[in-house]
Amino acid sequence: MGANCDNESIRALTPSYNEMVDEWETAFETTSKISVYKTCTYPSGALPAQASSRLSMSVGDEQSRPERTGGLPDLDGRVEGEVDGRERTRKLYATDASIYEVEPAGVVAPATREDVREVVTYARERGTSIVARGAGSSLTGNAVGEGIIVDCSRFLDDVLAVDPDARTATVQPGVVLDELNDHLAQYNLYFPPDPSTSGTCTIGGMVANDAAGPHSVRHGTTRDNIRSVECVLADGSVATFSRRTGDDVTQARDTDGLLGEIYDTVLDVRHKLADEIDARYPDVERNSSGYDLQSAAAPDGSWVDLTKLVVGSEGTLAFITEVTLELSERPETRAAALCFYEDVVGAAAAVDPALDADPSAVELIDDEVLGFAREAWGLDLVPEDAGAALLLEVETTVANQRADIEATVGAARTDAFLGSELAVAEDDQDRLWKVRKSSNPLLNRRPGDEQALSFIEDAAIPPENLPEYLRRVREVLMDHDLNASVFGHAGQGVLHVKPFLNLKTERDRERLRLVSEAVHDVVVEVGGCVSGEHGDGRLRSAYLESMYGPDVYDAFRRVKRAFDPDDVFNPAKIVPASDGRLADVDESLRYDDYDPRAVETALDFSAEEGFVSLIEQCNGCSKCRTTEGGVMCPSYRGAETEITSTRGRANALRQAIDGGLGEDALTSDWFQEDVLDLCLSCKACETECPTGVDMAKLKTEAKHRKHQRDGIPLRSRLFGNVRTLNRLGSALAPVANRLTAFGPGRVFAEKVLGIDRRRTIPTFAAESFPQWFESRSPAESAGERGPVVLYPDCYMAYNHPEVGKAAVRVLESLGYAVSVPDINCCGRPALSQGMVVHARENAAANVDALSEFAAVDVPVVTVEPSCASALAEYDDLLSDPGGLPDVSATVASFLYERVVAGNLELPESDTAETVAFHGHCHSTAKGWDHAPVALLRLAGYEVEPVDSTCCGMAGSFGYEIEHYDLSMAIGDDLEARLDATDVDRVAVSGASCSQQLIDRAVETDHPMELLEEVLA
């Protein structure tokens, strides 16, 4: 039958094939599954059973865990969505992106408006409360609370209608902003508020916080772009709020029940306190503090618009179920400029005159961020003496681009002005915006206990008063011996001032309160408000009475009581609850009573200041919930559950090391299976997570600890020694290929080893790559440019030698003499299984094998990105990995670096083929994924990079029976994006990616094979 024998051939030759399979299944169901499969410590049922159906938002599967409803009895049968009251789930939702932690009573993901009504009614009947939640990206703690967390992001995420003529869209609250704008692009429309979390924030959350972003200078905040809001009220009724005038106002006021009481109260306080409201409300463009009574109604009652009141109310008045948005036409084009100043105060002084030029954005950046951009990124456009910068942008026409941005820069010239960098081309604008957008990631990536915290970061100040405000805030910080970074939306007077504190210490918790109080006083004295974007929440509610005065604050109380007489909606925020409770700045902090256990690690975590410190780097910002662009987090994109996000795992890890999930939770079966095993170790979080939480490294260490306690399971040993398996398979081909394709063999692998029978096993090469290489003669051109070592990875060596052959031919055709040493596995398979000791042994052996090349600076390259990344991470395994060469990268990145340096030129070809390229996750994480695209383009191919997450295979992950469904669900995204392309070829750089696509009948080539066709 030969090496290419398949199942159809076996069926034809074996009439009793199905009977044999049934017999094997029966045998293993009663014997081997119990004796072997169970000892491998993976779950008895597949989790998730269907990842794409968004099965579970919590830790644990239903069959083997306590009752899901936990502290929410009787609610599960009343809603179509999900109800989860278990402790483990409550821990996941106890934090958001703020400094606070409050464990809720449970979590509900409603599927319909009726579900929301049921939850509201249930909460009122049980005397508890609800906290509406979208992405959980709140910085003020307004998305955490003691009641029921109602997660709108799971199911209430539909775009219900778009009216291009009226420029409106009606959406459910769980719709993500970027996904909405992608949908609206077909109409050349978009929803203009653009907070930095646009890839994850939901419309409901934007409405609750009156979100804005840098372009609010031109387009206003969320409040300015809302047509109507449908809400469930505290009595379970549904109301739609929009602007009412004339007789409609009287009709609304005369409505029976709760709705009429709401209208009557709002109109009454607006009329009676007209002068006080006008006097006490600050004269700023952005005000997210308290309730917006000023915009909610006319003093004379001629109109009323309760959307203005619901927007920015932080879920304290009603539960949003639908929103009709006012859309804008996309600008024809933009232009940008980075203007440099002597210091932050000098830059702030230029904001007010710059606004006279009608810019679309005015963003301030301090010297710390500028210094990073200059040194780490090599951006020589940043002057050495620049102490601050303003990023200016204009929305304009192509014809007026340069003139308009030059006029704006001219308006921003002051005595402190040092120069500017203009950008008209889109790529150049992105380069300037990169400097601004690096602010938070830069600050958040500092390892250790002292972090840049968001607690005085949101004040809105009249732009003309910004210099005075900054001077006085600086004095407050100096009084308390604190450093801070400053950046933000200077055009509307909203600057993010982030002091560095360690809230694990009593001293800094005290400084948190003292600085908050002092800065609040400064804000009021310079005519500002304490929140210009992020809301009050637990962070600023205590300051509202002194800001607005007792009369207006009492009106806030009246409005709250009218909307919510039973404290159903997010109580103790903005105004006190019925029992007098009010959220305070230093209560319920995340690190109150926090005492993590020291963890002695096998990997080196010194760069992260320890295992615990790396876990604690997660600030909950929600970036790992992004579903478009980048790679992070593939398991979340496949299952869309909190525990499958990097944030969810980090929170679970933090609870585990603190004892919040029980004794020895970290090494328990359920924690390993339900928290860690669904991580694909794609490494994307290493670079895409704003705080640099390397979950793959944390997972490896935690699994190592599990093995130290319980021993290494059989399947882990097999997958961790894949090089040995592949070498044996190649030596025994074609017999080995027949066995892996034969039905009973697949049943055996599934029942004994947990390898899903639906997954195709890679074929073994009868002639391995090392055998081929040893038997050949080098090309004549080999050596003209010097030597290079090609690392023979496990798959290239024994499964796909054609890739290695292509790489050798390409390298030799370009003048490199190729050596292929006898080496061990790179260690990546062992690390993915938590086998740190075995990986270290491999690494040490490889360093010895490669030391002779390192001694003469011969670079080591590989075609497999996961191997290249493993070589680059030997410093985590070895105390002295100095025996490795400096260059450990992919062949493509090695060649491209030399092209860029001018040391190598690729010959041109006349190929007209088009190629879709999917890059390996580890290449993306290490910054190598651009190299294959660039080389293929230089070689004459027309290349279309595919913007997709991980393929879903991730080494052994996609083979494992409990992960197969999730793996395929993740792969659906890649397949769909490839289907949307119109190309001749598909190129992938990783063996796992190729295998995932093989199971979807998609033919692929490695970039080296494509280069060989035109170069060698």
Side-chain angles (χ1 to χ4, degrees):
M1 289 182 284
N4 294 321
C5 173
D6 59 19
N7 281 347
E8 292 302 322
S9 302
I10 295 172
R11 288 187 176 91
L13 295 172
T14 314
S16 59
Y17 170 86
N18 290 328
E19 288 81 356
M20 290 174 62
V21 171
D22 290 340
E23 290 175 8
W24 279 62
E25 284 184 335
T26 301
F28 283 111
E29 197 67 46
T30 57
T31 57
S32 299
K33 183 174 181 179
I34 296 173
S35 61
V36 180
Y37 180 63
K38 290 283 189 176
T39 63
C40 291
T41 70
Y42 22 94
S44 57
L47 176 67
Q50 279 295 332
S52 59
S53 65
R54 307 179 183 179
L55 266 189
S56 172
M57 63 184 148
S58 64
V59 177
D61 69 79
E62 297 193 36
Q63 285 74 30
S64 59
R65 306 291 174 248
E67 186 66 29
R68 290 179 61 86
T69 53
L72 303 177
D74 307 324
L75 181 56
D76 195 32
R78 294 171 62 168
V79 299
E80 294 181 28
E82 295 178 347
V83 177
D84 199 330
R86 291 172 297 175
E87 181 182 23
R88 295 167 187 171
T89 303
R90 299 199 305 269
K91 299 285 188 186
L92 290 182
Y93 283 81
T95 58
D96 51 12
S98 71
I99 57 179
Y100 299 104
E101 181 172 82
V102 182
E103 187 172 318
V107 182
V108 177
T112 64
R113 179 196 299 115
E114 289 305 309
D115 278 1
V116 175
R117 297 182 67 188
E118 285 293 339
V119 176
V120 170
T121 301
Y122 177 92
R124 190 178 66 253
E125 292 171 350
R126 298 298 177 112
T128 187
S129 60
I130 63 176
V131 179
R133 179 167 168 142
S137 56
S138 164
L139 292 174
T140 67
N142 53 28
V144 296
E146 297 87 351
I148 304 168
I149 299 290
V150 183
D151 185 349
C152 298
S153 69
R154 296 273 291 135
F155 304 117
L156 294 179
D157 59 355
D158 288 336
V159 178
L160 301 175
V162 177
D163 186 338
D165 295 330
R167 293 187 180 178
T168 63
T170 300
V171 304
Q172 292 180 313
V175 170
V176 173
L177 175 59
D178 278 356
E179 294 177 14
L180 170 64
N181 282 332
D182 287 345
H183 179 76
L184 295 174
Q186 61 187 306
Y187 308 109
N188 197 37
L189 300 172
Y190 76 119
F191 187 57
D194 57 342
S196 60
T197 56
S198 61
T200 60
C201 71
T202 63
I203 297 299
M206 292 178 68
V207 172
N209 277 5
D210 189 24
H215 291 96
S216 60
V217 170
R218 170 67 63 86
H219 298 285
T221 68
T222 298
R223 181 179 283 120
D224 301 313
N225 294 274
I226 298 292
R227 180 71 57 87
S228 65
V229 179
E230 178 192 270
C231 300
V232 174
L233 302 181
D235 62 355
S237 63
V238 179
T240 299
F241 297 127
S242 59
R243 186 177 176 87
R244 291 172 175 262
T245 60
D247 291 342
D248 285 346
V249 175
T250 303
Q251 183 181 0
R253 199 167 193 168
D254 292 342
T255 303
D256 292 334
L258 184 64
L259 185 60
E261 175 67 19
I262 290 169
Y263 274 107
D264 186 65
T265 299
V266 172
L267 287 162
D268 184 58
V269 298
R270 184 65 180 97
H271 172 70
K272 290 180 177 178
L273 293 175
D275 292 340
E276 185 73 4
I277 287 172
D278 290 342
R280 300 295 306 213
Y281 275 66
D283 185 17
V284 292
E285 292 294 322
R286 285 167 49 166
N287 183 354
S288 292
S289 288
Y291 298 130
D292 190 3
L293 294 173
Q294 195 172 35
S295 302
D300 62 1
S302 59
W303 58 265
V304 61
D305 187 353
L306 296 190
T307 64
K308 307 297 186 184
L309 203 60
V310 172
V311 176
S313 64
E314 304 178 33
T316 62
L317 300 181
F319 196 104
I320 299 163
T321 50
E322 285 183 17
V323 185
T324 298
L325 311 170
E326 295 181 349
L327 309 176
S328 296
E329 188 174 348
R330 293 173 182 265
E332 180 180 330
T333 190
R334 293 185 169 105
L338 201 56
C339 298
F340 303 103
Y341 299 86
E342 294 174 356
D343 54 27
V344 168
V345 174
V351 171
D352 196 41
L355 290 173
D356 291 338
D358 192 27
S360 55
V362 181
E363 299 288 295
L364 186 144
I365 309 157
D366 75 352
D367 58 342
E368 185 164 1
V369 176
L370 291 178
F372 178 84
R374 182 174 53 243
E375 295 166 15
W377 294 338
L379 291 183
D380 52 7
L381 62 87
V382 180
E384 289 285 345
D385 56 347
L390 291 181
L391 177 60
L392 306 177
E393 184 195 80
V394 295
E395 293 180 356
T396 181
T397 63
V398 173
N400 294 330
Q401 263 186 306
R402 184 161 295 278
D404 286 351
I405 192 62
E406 287 178 350
T408 304
V409 171
R413 288 178 179 272
T414 65
D415 291 341
F417 183 83
L418 298 176
S420 64
E421 182 78 15
L422 273 61
V424 175
E426 186 173 340
D427 288 347
D428 291 337
Q429 292 181 53
D430 291 342
R431 189 163 171 250
L432 298 188
W433 273 103
K434 181 182 180 181
V435 179
R436 164 62 180 90
K437 292 179 179 180
S438 72
S439 303
N440 255 332
L442 166 63
L443 298 175
N444 292 333
R445 280 179 173 265
R446 289 170 51 130
D449 293 334
E450 189 174 89
Q451 295 292 315
L453 299 181
S454 299
F455 68 100
I456 56 169
E457 90 302 343
D458 197 35
I461 309 298
E464 65 272 16
N465 295 341
L466 276 177
E468 179 187 356
Y469 171 71
L470 286 173
R471 280 192 291 266
R472 295 185 61 181
V473 169
R474 180 183 294 170
E475 291 172 1
V476 171
L477 296 174
M478 290 175 63
D479 288 344
H480 293 278
D481 195 25
L482 290 175
N483 295 318
S485 184
V486 181
F487 59 93
H489 315 306
Q492 289 202 311
V494 179
L495 293 181
H496 303 318
V497 181
K498 302 186 74 169
F500 294 92
L501 290 171
N502 175 13
L503 293 187
K504 293 179 181 178
T505 67
E506 181 63 35
R507 175 174 179 259
D508 277 7
R509 288 196 290 270
E510 178 68 14
R511 287 201 288 184
L512 172 77
R513 169 178 284 280
L514 294 175
V515 171
S516 296
E517 292 172 349
V519 170
H520 160 69
D521 291 341
V522 172
V523 169
V524 174
E525 289 167 11
V526 299
C529 68
V530 294
S531 175
E533 182 174 19
H534 300 146
D536 302 311
R538 310 184 73 84
L539 195 59
R540 289 181 270 267
S541 293
Y543 304 131
L544 296 182
E545 184 168 11
S546 60
M547 173 180 165
Y548 284 107
D551 293 337
V552 172
Y553 193 65
D554 184 61
F556 290 170
R557 293 173 187 252
R558 285 189 58 193
V559 169
K560 169 67 173 176
R561 294 283 78 79
F563 270 92
D564 186 21
D566 298 313
D567 267 347
V568 171
F569 298 119
N570 208 8
K573 316 283 175 59
I574 300 182
V575 298
S578 301
D579 60 4
R581 290 181 300 114
L582 181 64
D584 209 350
V585 63
D586 58 352
E587 292 180 358
S588 303
L589 295 173
R590 186 181 297 193
Y591 293 114
D592 279 351
D593 301 320
Y594 177 68
D595 186 23
R597 299 164 187 174
V599 178
E600 187 173 338
T601 61
L603 296 172
D604 183 1
F605 284 85
S606 58
E608 299 89 354
E609 297 195 11
F611 179 80
V612 172
S613 177
L614 183 56
I615 293 171
E616 294 168 356
Q617 283 294 113
C618 176
N619 63 8
C621 70
S622 82
K623 181 68 165 61
C624 50
R625 292 168 56 99
T626 303
T627 57
E628 293 289 333
V631 176
M632 185 179 67
C633 174
S635 54
Y636 176 78
R637 298 188 193 198
E640 295 191 15
T641 59
E642 181 67 16
I643 192 54
T644 56
S645 68
T646 304
R647 176 178 70 182
R649 294 189 186 97
N651 278 332
L653 281 166
R654 184 169 49 82
Q655 292 287 348
I657 61 177
D658 187 41
L661 293 174
E663 193 70 22
D664 298 324
L666 187 63
T667 54
S668 67
D669 289 349
W670 73 264
F671 192 92
Q672 295 279 325
E673 294 161 7
D674 300 344
V675 178
L676 297 178
D677 283 352
L678 294 181
C679 169
L680 281 74
S681 297
C682 69
K683 303 293 286 185
C685 51
E686 180 185 350
T687 50
E688 292 183 26
C689 170
T691 60
V693 177
D694 186 348
M695 189 53 61
K697 187 175 181 179
L698 292 168
K699 173 187 174 181
T700 294
E701 186 64 47
K703 291 185 75 66
H704 167 76
R705 292 177 64 82
K706 170 72 168 174
H707 297 335
Q708 293 293 101
R709 193 189 75 172
D710 298 341
I712 302 174
L714 172 62
R715 188 176 68 179
S716 293
R717 290 185 183 276
L718 290 173
F719 282 135
N721 286 280
V722 68
R723 187 176 190 85
T724 300
L725 292 177
N726 287 354
R727 185 173 65 247
L728 290 173
S730 177
L732 296 174
V735 174
N737 290 326
R738 294 176 184 174
L739 288 174
T740 58
F742 192 47
R746 291 193 179 199
V747 174
F748 176 90
E750 181 173 277
K751 300 301 180 181
V752 176
L753 304 175
I755 299 174
D756 199 289
R757 77 182 73 176
R758 293 168 289 181
R759 183 64 76 182
T760 302
I761 304 297
T763 57
F764 301 107
E767 181 187 44
S768 69
F769 171 75
Q771 290 172 331
W772 170 85
F773 186 82
E774 285 296 323
S775 65
R776 66 180 294 276
S777 298
E780 290 185 8
S781 56
E784 294 174 358
R785 294 183 185 275
V788 65
V789 173
L790 179 61
Y791 189 100
D793 70 83
C794 308
Y795 295 102
M796 180 195 81
Y798 303 109
N799 301 102
H800 308 293
E802 64 278 3
V803 176
K805 295 174 186 179
V808 169
R809 290 169 180 147
V810 167
L811 286 166
E812 289 185 345
S813 72
L814 295 173
Y816 295 98
V818 180
S819 298
V820 177
D822 182 14
I823 48 82
N824 284 13
C825 178
C826 67
R828 178 62 68 201
L831 288 172
S832 71
Q833 298 297 323
M835 297 166 57
V836 176
V837 175
H838 185 52
R840 180 176 291 118
E841 292 170 351
N842 281 330
N846 287 336
V847 168
D848 287 342
L850 296 171
S851 59
E852 61 178 291
F853 301 102
V856 289
D857 294 326
V858 178
V860 175
V861 297
T862 177
V863 298
E864 177 59 41
S866 60
C867 287
S869 70
L871 293 172
E873 294 169 10
Y874 274 5
D875 55 346
D876 287 339
L877 284 167
L878 304 175
S879 57
D880 181 17
L884 277 180
D886 290 337
V887 179
S888 297
T890 62
V891 177
S893 59
F894 166 78
L895 293 175
Y896 185 61
E897 284 176 5
R898 280 140 186 83
V899 170
V900 171
N903 299 324
L904 178 66
E905 185 174 344
L906 268 61
E908 296 182 4
S909 72
D910 57 0
T911 180
E913 287 191 301
T914 56
V915 177
F917 174 76
H918 167 71
H920 190 281
C921 301
H922 289 207
S923 270
T924 304
K926 299 297 184 183
W928 301 328
D929 56 324
H930 65 287
V933 175
L935 288 179
L936 290 172
R937 285 173 174 167
L938 289 171
Y941 291 99
E942 184 178 331
V943 186
E944 182 177 340
V946 178
D947 185 14
S948 62
T949 184
C950 173
C951 70
M953 198 66 182
S956 64
F957 183 89
Y959 291 99
E960 296 163 351
I961 186 172
E962 70 272 26
H963 298 149
Y964 175 84
D965 290 305
L966 178 57
S967 171
M968 294 300 285
I970 296 169
D972 287 342
D973 177 72
L974 174 57
E975 184 179 17
R977 291 175 189 272
L978 288 173
D979 287 344
T981 63
D982 183 17
V983 295
D984 301 315
R985 314 277 286 272
V986 174
V988 297
S989 58
S992 290
C993 312
S994 176
Q995 195 64 41
Q996 175 76 291
L997 292 172
I998 285 172
D999 279 354
R1000 297 166 181 271
V1002 178
E1003 294 185 8
T1004 67
D1005 295 287
H1006 193 279
M1008 288 298 109
E1009 295 177 286
L1010 296 179
L1011 287 174
E1012 179 196 15
E1013 291 181 12
V1014 297
L1015 299 181

